[in-house]
C-alpha cells in the first residue's frame, strides 16, 4: 500500500472509530513519515483505545518530542498509559509534568478510570486537586481563593504583566482573611477584582458565574453607553417611562464616578472593553452593594433625565431574572425596547438590529450593488455550517455583480476561531469586490482574530469604533469551578498572535471613526452602514513598518 493510500485509510478508520484498523494503518504511516508529530499522536490514540498501552506510550512519547498542539495533553496521556500499566510512580511523575505544562483541568485525573488503582494514593490525590471538605464558610472561601491563586499562577499566560505577583498574592490573602466579615456578594466582587488584575478580558467570571444566585435578582432594565452618556435602552413594561432616559447618577454618584469605580472589577484588554460591559453591571445591584456603590442590595435610586427633558429620581427594585450572560440581546422577552418603539413610529429597524439571534446572515442591496453580511457569532448555525454559508455567500456575490461587500461584526463577541478559516478564505478570494468591515467595542475574542486577519491580508476599510481587544491578545476560555462557592472562573492561557509580532496596537482602530450615538440609536439610523455604502476610500492592507 502506498503512503497516500495508507494515510487515507488511517484517517478514515480513525473517523469511523475503527481503532484496531486505525492502529495498523497509522503504524504504516509513521514508518514512512516518522517526523510528523500528529501522525504519532493518532497512532497512540488508536493503540490506547485498543488497550495496547505500551504501543500507545511509545507513540505519545514520540509525539511529545516532535510537538503536537497542547503538550500538556500528550503528557497527560502518557500518565494514563503508565497508570494502566501499573507504574504508579511514573504515572504521578507524568501527571505532575502535565500540570506543569498547563493541564487545563487538574481534576480530570480524579475522574479518569485510568487512575482507578491510584484512588487511595495521597500523593496522587494531591496532584489531582482532591481536598477535604472545609469545616466552615470562611475556610470554604479560603480554600477557593487558594485554588484560584494557584491556578492563575499555573495556567495564566503571563498573568502578572499588569499587576506584580506580590500585589496579586496580597489581594488574595486580604480577601481570604476578611471572609468572616463580608457577604458572599462582597466576596464575589473581591474575586472579580482579583481576576481583573490579570489584565485580559478572558480571565474573568464566566457569564454563568455572573448570573450566580448570590447576585440575583437584577434590575428590570438595560442600559448602554453612547457618545452622549448612559441611556436606558430597554425595560420591563412597568418601567416604560425609563426607556430612552439618560442616567445621570446612581444613588447620587455621577455616572462617570460609578464607571470609574466599576473599572477595577471589569476584566479587560483595554478601557474600551469597560465601555462594552460596565453598563451591564448596573443591573447587578447586589454586586454594586458589594463594591460599596449603593446602600440597599434590593434596589437602587437613579437620577434620570427623561426623553422630554425633565429630571427625576426613580427607585428601581431588583426583581428581574438574570440571564446566562452579561445581558440578553437585544433584551429579555416582553420588555420594551427603544428601537421597536421607533419602528412602530415609522422608522424601520436598521439591519444590524434585526436579527440578533442569527449567527450569520446576508441580504442583497441591489440599488447599491452591495451585500450586507452580519456576522454575530463565530459558531455553527443550527441549519447551515459556517463553511457552507461562506460558500453560498461567495457564490452569490460573484454571480450578482456585487461591487461592495459589507461585513458587520460590531456585535460579535467571538466563539471558535478555527471555524473562521473557510469564511476567511472565501472573503480573501473575492475579486472585483470592495470590502468594508463594521467593528465596535464588542468585536472580541474570535471575532477579533477574524478582523485582524482581514486587516492584515486585505484592503478592507474599517468603520465604527475600536475593537474590544488588540490585534495580538491573550485570550482563551479555560473554566475552573471553585468547589465551595460554585463560581465558574475562566483563566486565559493562550496568546493569539494573529498580527505581526511588532504590532502593539491596543485595538484595531477604524479608518472611519463613528462611535454610536443615542440620537442615531433612538431614530433607528445606522451611520456606519451609510458610510460603507457611500465610502470611496481606498486603503492598502496593513503592512509591517520598515526595518530600522
Amino acid at each position: 500500500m502506498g503512503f497516500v493510500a495508507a494515510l487515507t485509510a488511517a484517517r478514515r478508520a480513525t473517523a469511523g472509530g475503527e481503532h484496531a484498523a486505525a492502529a495498523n494503518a497509522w503504524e504504516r504511516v509513521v514508518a514512512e513519515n516518522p517526523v510528523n508529530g500528529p501522525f504519532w499522536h493518532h497512532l497512540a490514540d488508536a493503540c490506547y483505545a485498543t488497550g495496547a498501552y505500551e504501543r500507545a506510550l511509545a507513540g505519545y512519547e514520540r509525539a511529545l518530542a516532535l510537538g503536537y498542539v497542547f503538550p500538556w495533553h500528550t503528557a497527560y496521556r502518557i500518565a494514563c498509559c503508565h497508570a494502566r500499566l501499573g507504574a504508579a510512580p511514573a504515572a504521578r511523575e507524568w501527571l505532575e509534568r502535565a500540570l506543569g505544562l498547563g493541564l487545563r483541568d487538574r481534576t480530570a485525573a480524579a475522574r479518569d478510570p485510568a487512575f482507578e488503582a491510584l484512588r487511595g494514593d495521597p500523593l496522587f490525590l494531591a496532584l489531582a486537586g482532591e481536598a477535604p471538605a472545609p469545616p466552615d464558610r470562611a475556610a470554604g472561601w479560603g480554600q477557593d481563593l487558594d485554588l484560584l491563586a494557584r491556578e492563575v499562577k499555573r495556567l495564566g499566560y503571563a498573568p502578572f504583566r499588569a499587576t506584580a505577583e506580590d500585589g496579586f498574592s496580597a489581594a488574595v490573602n486580604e480577601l481570604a482573611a476578611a471572609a468572616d466579615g463580608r457577604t458572599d456578594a462582597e466576596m464575589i466582587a473581591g474575586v472579580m477584582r482579583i481576576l481583573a488584575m490579570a489584565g485580559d478580558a478572558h480571565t474573568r467570571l464566566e457569564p454563568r458565574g455572573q448570573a450566580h444566585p448570590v447576585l440575583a435578582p437584577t434590575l428590570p432594565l438595560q442600559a448602554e453607553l453612547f457618545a452622549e452618556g448612559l441611556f436606558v435602552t430597554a425595560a420591563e413594561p412597568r418601567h416604560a417611562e425609563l426607556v430612552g432616559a439618560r442616567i445621570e447618577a446612581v444613588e447620587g454618584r455621577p455616572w462617570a464616578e460609578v464607571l470609574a469605580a466599576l473599572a477595577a472589577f471589569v476584566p479587560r484588554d483595554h478601557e474600551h472593553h469597560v465601555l462594552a460591559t460596565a453598563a451591564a453591571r448596573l443591573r447587578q445591584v447586589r454586586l454594586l452593594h458589594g463594591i460599596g456603590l449603593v446602600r440597599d442590595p434590593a434596589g437602587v435610586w437613579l437620577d434620570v433625565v427623561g426623553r422630554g427633558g425633565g429630571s427625576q429620581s426613580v427607585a428601581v427594585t431588583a426583581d428581574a431574572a438574570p440571564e446566562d450572560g452579561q445581558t440578553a440581546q437585544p433584551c429579555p422577552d416582553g420588555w420594551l425596547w427603544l428601537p421597536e418603539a421607533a419602528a412602530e413610529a415609522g422608522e424601520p429597524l436598521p439591519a444590524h438590529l434585526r436579527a440578533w439571534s442569527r449567527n450569520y446572515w446576508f441580504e442583497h442591496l441591489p440599488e447599491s450593488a452591495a451585500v450586507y453580511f452580519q456576522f454575530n457569532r463565530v459558531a455553527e448555525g443550527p441549519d447551515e455550517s459556517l463553511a457552507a454559508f461562506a460558500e453560498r455567500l461567495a457564490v452569490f456575490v460573484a454571480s450578482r455583480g456585487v461591487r461592495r461587500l459589507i461585513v458587520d461584526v460590531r456585535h460579535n463577541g467571538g466563539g471558535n476561531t478555527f471555524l473562521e478559516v473557510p469564511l476567511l478564505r472565501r472573503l480573501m478570494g473575492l475579486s472585483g469586490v470592495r470590502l468594508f468591515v463594521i467593528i465596535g467595542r464588542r468585536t472580541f475574542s474570535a471575532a477579533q482574530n477574524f478582523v485582524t486577519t482581514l486587516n492584515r491580508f486585505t484592503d478592507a476599510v474599517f468603520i465604527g469604533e475600536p475593537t474590544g481587544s488588540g490585534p495580538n491578545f491573550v485570550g482563551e476560555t479555560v473554566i475552573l469551578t471553585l468547589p465551595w462557592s460554585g463560581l465558574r472562573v475562566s483563566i486565559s492561557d493562550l496568546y493569539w498572535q494573529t498580527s505581526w509580532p511588532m504590532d502593539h496596537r491596543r485595538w484595531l482602530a477604524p479608518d472611519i471613526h463613528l462611535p454610536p450615538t443615542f440620537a442615531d440609536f433612538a431614530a433607528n439610523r445606522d451611520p456606519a452602514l451609510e458610510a460603507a455604502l457611500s465610502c470611496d476610500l481606498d486603503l492598502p492592507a496593513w503592512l509591517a513598518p520598515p526595518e530600522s
Side-chain angles (χ1 to χ4, degrees), residues 150-496:
R150 284 189 285 115
E151 292 299 271
V152 166
K153 294 174 184 179
R154 185 180 72 85
L155 289 174
Y157 185 93
F160 306 116
R161 63 194 178 281
T163 302
E165 184 173 354
D166 288 348
F168 175 85
S169 298
V172 171
N173 293 337
E174 177 187 353
L175 185 60
D180 262 339
R182 297 191 184 182
T183 65
D184 283 342
E186 289 174 318
M187 294 299 293
I188 292 173
V191 169
M192 292 174 66
R193 186 171 73 87
I194 287 167
L195 292 170
M197 290 179 175
D200 74 81
H202 284 81
T203 298
R204 61 188 180 182
L205 287 188
E206 271 302 283
R208 289 182 179 85
Q210 292 160 0
H212 192 279
V214 169
L215 300 182
T218 56
L219 291 182
L221 56 82
Q222 285 179 185
E224 181 78 11
L225 274 168
F226 295 93
E228 305 95 323
L230 179 70
F231 288 81
V232 178
T233 57
E236 285 189 351
R238 70 179 184 279
H239 290 295
E241 77 284 356
L242 292 179
V243 178
R246 185 175 72 246
I247 298 175
E248 297 285 285
V250 178
E251 304 257 323
R253 292 175 182 262
W255 170 247
E257 289 185 15
V258 176
L259 179 63
L262 281 171
F265 298 84
V266 177
R268 62 197 180 277
D269 294 339
H270 54 70
E271 63 268 25
H272 277 270
H273 195 76
V274 178
L275 301 180
T277 59
R281 297 279 183 264
L282 178 64
R283 299 191 61 203
Q284 297 174 314
V285 180
R286 291 184 181 177
L287 175 62
L288 299 183
H289 180 262
I291 294 172
L293 292 174
V294 302
R295 294 180 295 272
D296 186 352
V300 65
W301 282 90
L302 301 177
D303 295 336
V304 302
V305 176
R307 296 196 68 185
S311 300
Q312 61 176 321
S313 291
V314 181
V316 184
T317 300
D319 57 4
E323 296 83 39
D324 267 356
Q326 293 170 353
T327 183
Q329 298 291 356
C331 64
D333 291 340
W335 284 26
L336 298 178
W337 185 41
L338 185 58
E340 286 182 343
E344 291 172 1
E347 299 293 340
L349 287 175
H352 77 101
L353 296 180
R354 290 205 308 256
W356 291 87
S357 62
R358 298 176 68 179
N359 291 355
Y360 33 80
W361 64 280
F362 71 87
E363 68 175 353
H364 191 203
L365 306 174
E367 67 282 1
S368 302
V371 161
Y372 172 81
F373 157 37
Q374 188 176 35
F375 190 17
N376 287 327
R377 292 171 201 85
V378 189
E380 301 287 24
D383 303 314
E384 183 180 32
S385 71
L386 185 53
F389 172 86
E391 183 68 20
R392 181 165 62 88
L393 171 65
V395 169
F396 185 94
V397 168
S399 64
R400 297 299 182 95
V402 171
R403 295 286 176 250
R404 202 176 285 251
L405 176 59
I406 301 160
V407 184
D408 189 345
V409 289
R410 78 187 94 175
H411 304 308
N412 193 325
N416 185 348
T417 292
F418 298 103
L419 295 177
E420 299 170 355
V421 175
L423 175 60
L424 285 165
R425 285 174 177 161
R426 296 303 272 145
L427 292 179
M428 290 189 286
L430 294 173
S431 61
V433 179
R434 301 191 61 198
L435 190 61
F436 298 85
V437 184
I438 301 176
I439 55 176
R441 65 189 73 168
R442 291 188 173 86
T443 306
F444 178 65
S445 194
Q448 178 69 61
N449 287 331
F450 175 75
V451 297
T452 299
T453 304
L454 292 178
N455 180 230
R456 182 174 175 183
F457 294 110
T458 76
D459 295 334
V461 175
F462 290 82
I463 300 171
E465 59 178 347
T467 56
S469 295
N472 297 325
F473 65 94
V474 174
E476 190 71 3
T477 299
V478 180
I479 299 298
L480 167 69
T481 300
L482 301 181
W484 189 84
S485 63
L487 286 176
R488 286 168 49 87
V489 172
S490 171
I491 301 173
S492 186
D493 69 344
L494 288 183
Y495 180 68
W496 290 91

Side-chain angles (χ1 to χ4, degrees), residues 52 55-56 66 77 121 136 146 209 364 448 452 484 538:
R55 288 174 69 197
L66 294 171
R77 300 301 292 172
D121 183 341
D136 53 41
D146 177 67
H364 191 203
Q448 178 69 61
T452 299
W484 189 84
D538 282 312

